[in-house]
Amino acid sequence: MIVLLYFAWVRERIGVAEERLPVQEDVASVAALLDHLATRSPGHAAALADRSALRVAVNQAHVGMDHAVADGDEVALFPPVTGG
């Protein structure tokens, strides 16, 4: 099972703050996971359409799109954080 956490406008577009999904055999990276998630609903597709506007953390560490995902991982999706 992969735990997905959504924050800010990602959560608003998808409509939930958290999901739990079984691991898919063809989902081995963050990019593949996002491809899979984008097919789940129009809200998922809208939230994940512009990958340059997303940041991803796996097990609370910021990672790139090529980072591996596996059973038991926590994956957080959020917009870039800015501030001063």
Side-chain angles (χ1 to χ4, degrees):
M1 196 67 66
I2 294 176
V3 176
L4 297 151
L5 304 174
Y6 305 120
F7 296 94
W9 57 257
V10 178
R11 178 183 61 231
E12 291 170 8
R13 290 179 187 166
I14 291 174
V16 297
E18 181 177 324
E19 291 185 284
R20 295 176 186 276
L21 297 177
V23 177
Q24 303 290 317
E25 284 185 26
D26 59 340
V27 175
S29 69
V30 168
L33 176 62
L34 297 183
D35 289 342
H36 172 72
L37 290 173
T39 68
R40 291 180 52 84
S41 75
H44 285 81
L48 304 175
D50 182 4
R51 306 264 169 98
S52 69
L54 287 174
R55 297 298 176 263
V56 180
V58 175
N59 300 323
Q60 300 182 3
H62 287 212
V63 299
M65 293 292 166
D66 60 344
H67 187 82
V69 293
D71 190 33
D73 282 347
E74 175 190 85
V75 179
L77 303 175
F78 49 93
V81 178
T82 62

